[in-house]
Amino acid sequence: MQINNEGSAIVDFNGIRREVELGLVNAKIGDYVLVHAGYAIKVINEEDVKDELKNFIKSLK
């Protein structure tokens, strides 16, 4: 994530980079954020993300 001075950031969605607004969260470089409609709405723990992805992949089998 690259944070801009205007309260926005460039976020990488698995190789797709988009600008999102940060006004609703206190995010820093390296954080995982939940994004909806161009706004970061929640900073999420990296371990929680990994666990959710593992569970999702298991559910597809």
Side-chain angles (χ1 to χ4, degrees):
M1 176 168 57
Q2 172 188 338
I3 299 176
N4 300 326
N5 291 337
E6 298 84 32
S8 64
I10 303 298
V11 177
D12 187 317
F13 296 94
N14 199 25
I16 300 169
R17 295 169 52 91
R18 296 282 188 254
E19 185 171 3
V20 300
E21 294 296 320
L22 295 177
L24 301 174
V25 297
N26 185 16
K28 60 186 182 305
I29 294 174
D31 284 346
Y32 285 85
V33 291
L34 180 61
V35 176
H36 178 69
Y39 289 86
I41 59 173
K42 183 178 181 181
V43 177
I44 47 181
N45 180 295
E46 182 177 359
E47 289 303 315
D48 292 342
V49 172
K50 289 179 181 179
D51 289 341
E52 286 293 324
L53 286 174
K54 287 177 189 175
N55 291 335
F56 179 70
I57 290 169
K58 285 181 185 177
S59 74
L60 296 176
K61 293 182 180 181

